[in-house]
Amino acid sequence: MRTIRYQEIAETLRRQIVEGEYGPGEVLPSEAGLVAKYDASRVTIRKALEVLKADGLVDARQGAGWFVAADPVPQPLTGLATIEAQLAASGRQSERRVVDFGFGPAPRHVAPLLGQRVLIAKRVNLADGQPFARVTVWCREDLGAELSLADVERSTFYSLLPHELGRASQTIGAAAAGSDDARLLGVPEQSPVLVVKRTTFDAGGHAVLVSEHVFPGHVTEFVVELAARSDLGESPTGLRLVDGEAPTG
């Protein structure tokens, strides 16, 4: 029996996924790119992808395109934790790549907390070899003075700082990936991302770090446990509505 064209394309993509050419969570070429690569119609490409989706090999999100299926990494909102710790808890291999490091002027939202000049470290965190998050950390100048690029490539700021950490304030919002984040995270521009903005304080209540974490929308989910207690009022502790737009990175 002659194999139908969409089945041939599905089998080719299946083999590439099984052999690791496309890893778990990795975004596949766009439908337009696959149309050009296989000299096929958009309908044929879509049917091939739907075959793989039915087999649980790929999935799709509005605005994010098609990607190799993988369970999102859960990040419980129960305490102060690093991406590395969350990935380890999920059995994922963690890797970090620093793409920018140096001292410079603090952005407008950072300066009131850390001062006018800060250490800036920008990196990409990977999970099982695939981009998981773009993270930018602004560190107070006096605390970052003794830190080197090798330090932040090897360890987290939480383990490097000489101060005992106390608490953090964190907000989570949805945004669309800007061109720089799209390039670093390997996702289409304007695809959905989760933006986490965190300020970390030492035990004395002084701000020591401000950070921004940008996650592709399909790679993670944030989990919070809600207690059914009357003394919490109408809103659970730690959750609040905020005005304003999340940055696109």
Side-chain angles (χ1 to χ4, degrees), residues 23-68:
E26 184 172 355
V27 177
L28 296 174
S30 66
E31 290 186 13
L34 292 173
V35 164
K37 181 176 181 178
Y38 293 105
D39 191 22
S41 69
R42 180 72 71 111
V43 172
T44 297
I45 294 299
R46 179 63 65 86
K47 289 182 69 174
L49 291 168
E50 290 292 348
V51 167
L52 297 178
K53 182 178 180 180
D55 291 341
L57 287 176
V58 303
D59 205 347
R61 294 276 179 91
Q62 182 67 35
W66 293 85
F67 53 90
V68 180

Side-chain angles (χ1 to χ4, degrees), residues 75 77 170-174 194-197 222-223 240 242 246:
Q75 298 195 58
L77 299 177
Q170 179 167 288
T171 62
I172 303 171
L194 291 172
V195 180
V196 177
K197 303 169 84 172
F222 292 91
V223 182
R240 57 180 175 143
V242 295

Side-chain angles (χ1 to χ4, degrees), residues 147-209:
L147 299 181
S148 67
L149 173 59
D151 290 330
V152 300
E153 285 179 330
R154 181 181 63 253
S155 304
T156 68
F157 273 91
Y158 283 0
S159 64
L160 292 170
L161 292 182
H163 285 214
E164 179 184 355
L165 300 180
R167 62 179 182 87
S169 173
Q170 179 167 288
T171 62
I172 303 171
S179 58
D180 188 49
D181 280 339
R183 176 181 58 83
L184 291 173
L185 297 173
V187 297
E189 193 170 342
Q190 296 300 304
S191 61
V193 293
L194 291 172
V195 180
V196 177
K197 303 169 84 172
R198 177 186 293 181
T199 301
T200 303
F201 301 85
D202 63 18
H206 304 100
V208 292
L209 298 172

Side-chain angles (χ1 to χ4, degrees), residues 18 21 27-28 32 73 83 118 128 140 151 180 199 225:
V18 171
E21 185 172 336
V27 177
L28 296 174
V73 175
I83 287 177
V118 291
D128 294 334
R140 213 170 68 197
D151 290 330
D180 188 49
T199 301
E225 184 173 339

